[in-house]
Amino acid sequence: MIDAILGLDVGTTTTKVVLFDLTGAELARSMSKPYRNYTPRPGWVEQDPEILLASTRTVLNEVLTQHTSAAHDIAAIGLTNAN
């Protein structure tokens, strides 16, 4: 039965996930996983894609551990990287 929506926020300094049911009620939430930005020059900000992927995996695993049937029940994923 498909009954969950996953929200994934890959922000400027942290990654976090929230899992909702189809009525909008929260089913599970990850802790924010912080990571470091690099500033090689004034006004430049860089992020390591491998660190972003690792932090995304970590928070997804947290949520899927909290709500064990969620992996099979996710109807949609919303992704944001707004700051």
Side-chain angles (χ1 to χ4, degrees):
M1 179 167 127
I2 297 173
D3 65 357
I5 299 170
L6 186 121
L8 171 62
D9 177 23
V10 181
T12 306
T13 58
T14 63
T15 301
K16 50 193 166 275
V17 170
V18 181
L19 187 68
F20 301 95
D21 69 15
L22 297 181
T23 69
E26 186 176 306
L27 299 173
R29 174 182 294 265
S30 72
M31 298 295 289
S32 293
K33 176 71 175 163
Y35 41 81
R36 187 175 151 206
N37 292 316
Y38 302 93
T39 52
R41 296 173 65 173
W44 287 24
V45 177
E46 294 180 358
Q47 295 174 314
D48 183 331
E50 291 183 12
I51 291 173
L52 295 177
L53 179 59
S55 68
T56 299
R57 286 181 172 159
T58 298
V59 294
L60 285 171
N61 284 331
E62 278 182 34
V63 164
L64 296 177
T65 299
Q66 292 174 39
H67 196 277
T68 55
S69 65
H72 303 286
D73 296 336
I74 295 173
I77 298 173
L79 173 64
T80 180
N81 67 349
N83 47 347

